[in-house]
Amino acid sequence: MSAVRAAAGGLGAAGFGWTLWHGLAEPATALAFGVLITVGELVRRETRGGREAAPLGAAGALAYALLGEVGGHSSGHGALQVVTVVGAAALAGAAPHVARGRNRVLDHLTRRVLTAGFAATCFQPLYNSGVLDAWTGRGPSYALLLLFLLGLTALCDAVLTAALARARTGWPYGPLLRDELRALLGIGSAICATGVVMALAAAVAGLWALPVFSVPLLLTQFAFRRYAAVKATYRQTIASLARATEIAGCTPGGHARRVASLSRAVGRELGLTEPGLTVLEYAALMHDIGRLSLVDPAPSGATESLPPEERRRIALLGGAVVRQTGVDPEVALIVERQADPYREQPLPARIVRTVNAYDDLAGGGGPAGPLAALERLRLATARDHEPGVVEALARVLARGGRPA
């Protein structure tokens, strides 16, 4: 990660030095795009999965990198000026986030500088030398080339983002990259399309095209925030429902929350992607909901001492309740499979089973300490717990219960 940041810093310094020496080409255009990128960075937000959402800033940076003409006149700026303007604007937009204590600002700036520099390096020399006109002219092939370059830039950004996250967190690289590539099909495609449209529209209509084509992305970002708020509310509703077992005295206080948090960490350790982690977390929150059918709470809040038939009945009742909540059917399946032999369970069910057993033994004042509980789980891997899950749990616990 240090090498990537050093590359971004070196590129930014080279761009600043080149621009300082040669002067700023077309200051009005640079200022307009700089303001657009700054506004986009100011309104960016971080999703629960850790991904930064700044569609307007990203689209503005890509549009400036692929800008050939403004109002029918050649723009005249080069790749190093693109790096300078994008880097300065992103830095200005990041200042409030730094003041609020956001801890991933440097990685975001690194990505913005390197991706803008990559796109500009691919486009500006070809355009300024006239090679691009000879290849494509100004027909549909020109727009297709811009889309291709933006798609290639988006792929590079996904690879870079996953690499930075891997270095920062220690999470497996493959699932991180899959999450980033999946995001390209959503907001990523809108960013690429808007970046192309901005660059093409500015060539004809001039700088007035920037505010016009910024509106759709601002509306998209507003809708994205509303969707994220709905998901957060939904999760809080599920967490509140899961607390019913604690209020009824069926489970110790905080049990569902601890199992959900630790299950998510173990799932991340084992390479689950973000959608899979969400399903796992919901199942872990609600895995005990079937205990409400018990006339008397299980001893110490644990069901391991109950007969297998009773554990199976509780699991099936829990799955039936979960299905009524309207969550992903896979969540109900994980809850229903808690009483099955672990070799017949899907991986998320094995994770919840092991983490639940660990918390029963060690969490909330359980009968065993953390080390003793982990040792008991290891001794039970022949029959009750997946060895790989137990070892992943041990690695997470060695880091203090965190996935990184």
Side-chain angles (χ1 to χ4, degrees):
M1 183 163 62
S2 298
V4 175
R5 289 176 175 174
L11 182 60
F16 180 78
W18 188 93
T19 304
L20 191 64
W21 181 262
H22 293 88
L24 194 65
E26 299 190 352
T29 301
L31 178 62
F33 275 94
V35 170
L36 176 65
I37 297 168
T38 300
V39 171
E41 296 297 335
L42 286 172
V43 299
R44 71 181 168 91
R45 68 182 300 276
E46 182 179 319
T47 64
R48 187 164 183 266
R51 184 177 295 106
E52 298 281 351
L56 184 59
L62 293 175
Y64 190 54
L66 301 182
L67 185 67
E69 294 182 359
V70 179
H73 303 285
S74 295
S75 60
H77 66 277
L80 288 177
Q81 180 170 312
V82 169
V83 171
T84 302
V85 171
V86 171
L91 190 61
H97 301 287
V98 174
R100 288 198 294 267
R102 300 280 288 276
N103 58 358
R104 283 193 273 271
V105 173
L106 187 57
D107 283 356
H108 184 78
L109 291 174
T110 298
R111 287 175 48 207
R112 187 67 76 233
V113 168
L114 291 179
T115 53
F118 176 82
T121 301
C122 290
F123 175 81
Q124 292 295 331
L126 293 177
Y127 181 85
N128 293 332
S129 65
V131 174
L132 198 57
D133 280 339
W135 285 357
T136 64
R138 286 293 185 269
S141 56
Y142 180 75
L144 290 176
L145 178 62
L146 293 185
L147 281 174
F148 172 76
L149 289 178
L150 279 181
L152 190 60
T153 302
L155 288 175
C156 292
D157 182 57
V159 171
L160 178 61
T161 303
L164 289 171
R166 172 70 177 87
R168 184 180 66 250
T169 65
W171 298 344
Y173 180 77
L176 289 170
L177 181 59
R178 288 197 297 270
D179 284 341
E180 294 299 326
L181 293 177
R182 186 179 291 109
L184 292 181
L185 301 178
I187 191 67
S189 59
I191 292 172
C192 290
T194 305
V196 169
V197 170
M198 278 185 177
L200 294 176
V204 178
L207 297 178
W208 287 107
L210 300 186
V212 172
F213 289 98
S214 296
V215 173
L217 268 187
L218 285 174
L219 294 176
T220 300
Q221 185 158 355
F222 176 74
F224 183 83
R225 286 191 173 188
R226 292 290 300 272
Y227 175 70
V230 169
K231 287 186 66 177
T233 302
Y234 188 55
R235 182 186 178 277
Q236 291 171 0
T237 302
I238 291 177
S240 298
L241 178 62
R243 288 192 68 243
T245 58
E246 300 173 12
I247 296 172
C250 299
T251 57
H255 171 74
R257 175 182 52 80
R258 291 192 301 270
V259 172
S261 177
L262 195 51
S263 292
R264 187 177 178 92
V266 173
R268 177 70 78 176
E269 183 74 19
L270 291 173
L272 296 185
T273 59
E274 196 61 37
L277 291 174
T278 300
V279 168
L280 174 63
E281 182 179 18
Y282 288 172
L285 282 170
M286 303 178 70
H287 74 281
D288 278 332
I289 201 70
R291 296 192 188 191
L292 294 175
S293 64
L294 294 175
V295 176
D296 297 315
S300 302
T303 56
E304 292 298 322
S305 60
L306 297 177
E309 297 79 9
E310 185 69 2
R311 295 204 304 268
R312 178 65 176 165
R313 183 181 73 85
I314 293 172
L316 291 175
L317 286 172
V321 172
V322 172
R323 292 185 190 279
Q324 299 303 312
T325 66
V327 299
D328 191 323
E330 191 175 349
V331 175
L333 178 63
I334 294 171
V335 174
E336 289 174 344
R337 301 291 295 275
Q338 284 303 295
D340 292 354
Y342 85 80
R343 292 180 177 84
E344 300 175 10
Q345 292 176 322
L347 178 60
R350 299 180 186 186
I351 294 173
V352 174
R353 178 189 187 124
T354 298
V355 174
N356 175 58
Y358 172 80
D359 193 76
D360 285 341
L361 292 170
L371 293 179
L374 192 59
E375 186 61 27
R376 289 179 63 174
L377 292 180
R378 283 180 169 137
L379 293 174
T381 53
R383 184 187 62 187
D384 296 326
H385 300 287
E386 165 68 46
V389 174
V390 175
E391 293 310 312
L393 173 61
R395 292 193 296 272
V396 170
L397 293 173
R399 295 193 294 263
R402 303 185 307 275

